[in-house]
Structures are given as C-alpha cells and as structure tokens.
Amino acid sequence: MTATKSDIAKAAEVLRAGGLVALPTETVYGLGANAEDPAAVARIFAVKGRPPSHPLIVHLGSADHLDDWVEAVPAAARLLAKHFWPGPLTLVLRRGPRVPMEVTGGLETVAVRVPDHPVARALLTEFGGGAAAPSANRFGSVSPTTADHVRAELGDAVDFVLDGGPCEVGVESTIVDATGEAPAILRPGGVTREDIEAVLGHALEVHGSSAVRVPGQHPSHYAPRARVVLVEPEQVVAEAERARGHRVGVLLPSSCAAPAGAHAVVPVPDALPVYARGLYGYLRELDERGCDLIVASLPAEEGLGLAIANRLRRAAGPRSER
Ligand code: TXA
Ligand code: MG
C-alpha cells in the first residue's frame, strides 16, 4: 500500500514532534528524524545501534534549500546538484550553522541529498525542514528496500512507517566529496561514476577507504547473517559444491548451471539496474531460507556494477574474496 496524503501529514507531524519516520526513497528506505532536533537524531543512533561518530545524510525536499544547510558551495557541486537532483546522489559539503554536530558526528562537513521518490518529496515538502536519515536497518546489516523489510527489522522502534512500495534503484546513493574543486567518490551508488564524469568533463577518483570517515566503507557492512564468499563467476558452482556441510545459498550468474546440493539458488539478472534493485532482497531471502554461507561473484565494475561489487565486497568483509 502506498502512503496516502493523510499518512504523509501524519508522518510530518511525527517528525515535528521529535519522532522517527521510516520513509521510502528511490535507493533504500531511510530512518528519518528532524535534522535540527538533536534528541530525535540521537534516537536514530540508538535504534540502529550505530556509533554516534558515524555521520548521517540530511534529506531535503528541493535543491533550492541547499544553501540553508551548507556553506561555500563550489561550482562543481552546483553542477552536480543541478544534474542529478532529485536523485541518488549525496554531496558532502561544508556544514552550515543549521546542522547540529549530532548529525555530522562532529565533522565540519555535512552530507546532503534530494531524494527522487514522490512519497519522500511529499513528506519533506510538507515537513518543510531537513530529515536526517540513514538506511533503516540495524548497523552493519542489509539495507531495506521495502516497507516490510523495515517493519521486520525495526518493528516498534519506529514511530511511523511510510510505505512507498519497493525501491526502484535498490542500492544507496553515490556519495561525492564536493568540498573541493576536484570532487571524489566516497561511496559508489545509484548515480554511476561514468555519468558524473560526463557532467564534470573529467575523471573522478574513487576513494576505497578515504581519510574521511565513511562507515559504509568499513568491513562487513551491508551484510546478511550468512557469511558471504566471493569467487570468479566460473568458480561459483565448484565453490558451492565444495562447501558441503553448509546450507549454501548461491547468487548464480546467468552463465552458470545451478550447482548440485545448494540449499537455495537465486539467479542473478544480467541487466545491472535489475540486479541493483534486487540485490538486498536476494541477500535477505537467502538469510530467511536459512543459508549460512552465500557464494557469489562480482559483476564487472562499470555502471551500476561498481556499486553492486562494492556492496558485495563489504558484505563479505575482509579476506572473504577467493
Ligand atoms: O541512498 C542513501 O544514501 C540512503 C537513503 C536513505 O538516502 N541513505 C544512506 O545513509 O545510505 P547511511 O547513513 O546508511 O549512509 C550514509 C553514508 C555513511 O557511510 C556516512 O559515513 C556517509 O554517508 N557520510 C555522512 N556524512 C558524511 C560526511 N560529512 N563526510 C563523509 N561521509 C559522510
Ligand atoms: Mg546504511
């Protein structure tokens, strides 16, 4: 069921009252609070079990509000905002005085984005302020791409869940450090590196683990309960068959025949947007089906393949790539 007008009015009221609202975005569901209410923001960290030093993204209803929240916006950041907002791009810029330190984890920069989802935009417009919102999952686990995922994982800890249907993009926003004149990607995501480079007219650096603290880049993030093992596509079947004694789940590339003895098999779509949209759902499904080991391979790291490979690597954690 998609949120009605009265759901949106109620959700805006919950935000004003210092409550937590799970909101759909085009990437994943967020766990939102009034960004200007430090007590409400503190509840986000408590519910997620997230260390308070890990900064949140402030979500705005329109790019027109950018200058209310940040200072010293370089020309390249303006260009990116103009091209990709609303959309799955987050810009890290210098924090304005309106942004409490609780949101930025003590940093002098703040991450900002304008989501492209009708329900999120209606909520943000009705609310009028900024919503600090991380993905609506417990710290380190798989991000939710449906309202049911949120309810199953966070339940009563959220004051109101707005249902906007399944997320279209399925992986989080691309985070770009735009504080300087040479922007860099801190986390690959829904806007591709190639598309950003085309707008800027030059190549971009992708920081694997940058000096800036990005918890999304730490080991074992975006992780299902099952251990994830990454192998070359042509080794997926052999690896799954070798892991006898495990309840093996397989993310099966279309080039492979299903392995014998696997507990659960999810065929992976060739089209990257379809894969990205489904990825977190597949990981959740394999957990639900009781798998304790997931064998997967990485797509080519082009287009959305860069974000998919990044999430699978993080889910696998260190030393899980074979
Ligand atoms: O698509 C998305 O970005 C989703 C939806 C809900 O908007 N949100 C999301 O939030 O993925 P979260 O909190 O799960 O991830 C936000 C990332 C974290 O890795 C955080 O470290 C980084 O943004 N971040 C936030 N503020 C930052 C800053 N000032 N400098 C560098 N990284 C920052
Ligand atoms: Mg997250």
Side-chain angles (χ1 to χ4, degrees):
M1 253 296 282
T2 287
T4 61
K5 265 193 168 166
S6 89
D7 291 333
I8 286 164
K10 199 162 148 193
E13 206 38 61
V14 170
L15 288 180
R16 283 187 206 106
L20 299 186
V21 173
L23 65 144
T25 81
E26 77 280 32
T27 59
V28 301
Y29 275 71
L31 179 61
N34 178 359
E36 291 172 274
D37 180 342
V41 170
R43 274 191 67 204
I44 292 179
F45 289 95
V47 165
K48 275 187 68 90
R50 171 157 158 157
S53 59
H54 291 208
L56 305 178
I57 297 173
V58 176
H59 295 69
L60 305 177
S62 160
D64 296 342
H65 303 319
L66 178 64
D67 294 285
D68 300 342
W69 296 86
V70 302
E71 286 180 349
V73 181
R78 294 252 180 241
L79 192 62
L80 293 177
K82 182 165 172 282
H83 269 85
F84 295 109
W85 283 353
L89 175 77
T90 293
L91 295 174
V92 173
L93 290 160
R94 293 203 63 75
R95 180 183 72 90
R98 194 168 171 181
V99 183
M101 282 295 187
E102 283 78 2
V103 169
T104 70
L107 296 176
E108 282 304 330
T109 55
V110 62
V112 187
R113 90 175 185 100
V114 179
D116 186 16
H117 190 293
V119 173
R121 296 192 76 197
L123 171 65
L124 292 165
T125 302
E126 171 93 18
F127 171 54
S135 50
N137 53 278
R138 303 225 182 253
F139 185 60
S141 81
V142 179
S143 301
T145 51
T146 66
D148 280 344
H149 293 165
V150 179
R151 292 188 194 102
E153 190 158 340
L154 299 180
D156 292 342
V158 186
D159 299 308
F160 198 75
V161 178
L162 273 178
D163 193 338
C167 300
E168 280 280 313
V169 176
V171 293
E172 296 83 351
S173 60
T174 303
I175 301 179
V176 172
D177 179 352
T179 50
E181 283 301 335
I185 292 182
L186 301 179
R187 177 182 72 181
V191 173
T192 65
R193 170 193 192 157
E194 293 86 344
D195 283 349
I196 297 172
E197 289 179 344
V199 166
L200 292 177
H202 58 77
L204 269 191
E205 252 185 81
V206 180
H207 293 193
S209 48
S210 67
V212 194
R213 279 172 293 169
V214 182
Q217 301 296 331
H218 288 181
S220 285
H221 221 76
Y222 314 106
R225 283 193 304 274
R227 189 161 68 87
V228 177
V229 172
L230 301 176
V231 296
E232 294 301 320
E234 54 281 4
Q235 281 149 25
V236 167
V237 171
E239 184 67 30
E241 287 174 354
R242 191 160 42 232
R244 298 209 182 272
H246 282 281
R247 288 157 73 92
V248 183
V250 181
L251 290 181
L252 191 72
S254 63
S255 56
C256 303
H263 180 71
V265 174
V266 174
V268 163
D270 281 327
L272 292 171
V274 184
Y275 190 176
R277 192 177 304 145
L279 175 66
Y280 291 145
Y282 307 151
L283 295 175
R284 279 177 189 270
E285 179 189 335
L286 293 174
D287 267 350
E288 273 159 28
R289 289 169 72 179
C291 297
D292 58 9
L293 183 75
I294 296 173
V295 178
S297 67
L298 301 179
E301 294 179 55
E302 289 158 10
L304 283 172
L306 186 65
I308 295 168
N310 172 271
R311 301 307 187 270
L312 286 170
R313 282 211 179 88
R314 296 300 152 192
R319 290 183 300 279
S320 292
E321 220 167 325
R322 293 204 180 150

